[in-house]
């Protein structure tokens, strides 16, 4: 009887602890306090009072090689809401994974994205680690399912947002600093 009572009390304590409301932890910015800005709540949704400002380098940040052999120099990227890039698919053939990078420097830690087809690609980081995605969708600069968008310099050296069909992209490489 004592063992049964002890087991019931333990089960009650575990369920009470597991139902505890845990608030989402805000990321700790690594910027100086002067670089922090406060954000006002929108649509009744809680918004972080700490906004991280990023320094985006000027000049080319990478290039896209097309399947016809030509290359386009990437002069800048368009954010998708809060994300620089968004990926969903099967990582290494095992499980569904989502990668959504909100920091530009995290994206610049990738060396390249090599495409077998628009839904099968391998990401390599600057340390040589590879992530193979299958049945995946990658969004870069455009929410359209069939295109990537990025900035290039035109003949007058003005930035122009350009869209490229996903089926025409062989690889995307990023400039390493």
């Amino acid at each position: 009887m004592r063992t049964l009572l002890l087991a019931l009390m333990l089960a009650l304590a575990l369920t009470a602890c597991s139902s505890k409301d845990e608030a989402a932890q805000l990321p700790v910015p690594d910027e100086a306090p002067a670089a922090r800005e406060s954000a006002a709540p929108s649509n009744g949704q809680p918004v972080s009072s700490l906004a991280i400002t990023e320094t985006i380098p000027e000049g080319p940040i990478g290039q896209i090689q097309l399947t016809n052999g030509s290359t386009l120099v990437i002069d800048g990227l368009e954010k998708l809401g809060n994300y620089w890039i968004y990926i969903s698919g099967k990582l290494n053939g095992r499980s569904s994974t989502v990668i959504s990078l909100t920091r530009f420097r995290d994206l610049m830690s990738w060396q390249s994205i090599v495409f077998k087809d628009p839904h099968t690609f391998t990401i390599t980081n600057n340390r040589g680690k590879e992530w193979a995605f299958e049945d995946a969708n990658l969004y870069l600069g455009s929410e359209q399912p069939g295109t990537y968008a990025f900035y290039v310099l035109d003949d007058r050296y003005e930035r122009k947002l350009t869209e490229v069909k996903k089926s025409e992209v062989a690889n995307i490489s990023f400039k390493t600093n």
Side-chain angles (χ1 to χ4, degrees):
M1 182 69 170
R2 220 184 274 172
T3 306
L4 181 61
L5 183 59
L6 185 60
L8 287 174
M9 288 178 59
L10 181 60
L12 181 63
L14 287 175
T15 55
C17 290
S18 68
S19 66
K20 178 183 169 190
D21 182 28
E22 295 184 16
Q25 298 293 318
L26 296 175
V28 178
D30 54 358
E31 303 290 334
R36 297 179 188 153
E37 301 173 15
S38 64
S42 61
N43 299 331
Q45 297 293 325
V47 177
S48 169
S49 63
L50 302 175
I52 298 173
T53 57
E54 291 188 281
T55 304
I56 309 299
E58 294 205 20
I61 59 169
Q63 67 181 17
I64 292 184
Q65 183 176 3
L66 302 176
T67 55
N68 66 7
S70 63
T71 60
L72 298 171
V73 176
I74 303 171
D75 192 61
L77 296 175
E78 180 77 13
K79 270 188 143 178
L80 298 169
N82 293 327
Y83 308 115
W84 289 105
I85 194 167
Y86 185 87
I87 301 169
S88 64
K90 291 183 181 178
L91 176 60
N92 296 329
R94 286 184 257 163
S95 61
S96 293
T97 302
V98 171
I99 295 177
S100 53
L101 300 181
T102 57
R103 294 184 183 189
F104 187 79
R105 69 172 181 238
D106 292 338
L107 181 60
M108 291 298 107
S109 70
W110 290 358
Q111 187 176 46
S112 66
I113 305 171
V114 179
F115 295 89
K116 183 175 181 180
D117 62 57
H119 300 287
T120 306
F121 51 89
T122 302
I123 299 171
T124 306
N125 72 4
N126 292 334
R127 295 183 181 145
K129 184 173 180 176
E130 293 184 348
W131 296 284
F133 281 89
E134 299 171 348
D135 298 325
N137 292 307
L138 184 143
Y139 296 93
L140 179 67
S142 173
E143 294 178 4
Q144 300 298 321
T147 62
Y148 299 122
F150 51 92
Y151 289 100
V152 297
L153 294 180
D154 64 9
D155 295 338
R156 296 182 178 162
Y157 296 104
E158 294 177 7
R159 288 178 92 189
K160 177 183 172 186
L161 188 62
T162 303
E163 288 191 5
V164 177
K165 291 182 182 178
K166 290 182 178 183
S167 60
E168 296 176 357
V169 176
N171 71 52
I172 301 172
S173 60
F174 296 103
K175 179 180 170 184
T176 57
N177 295 333

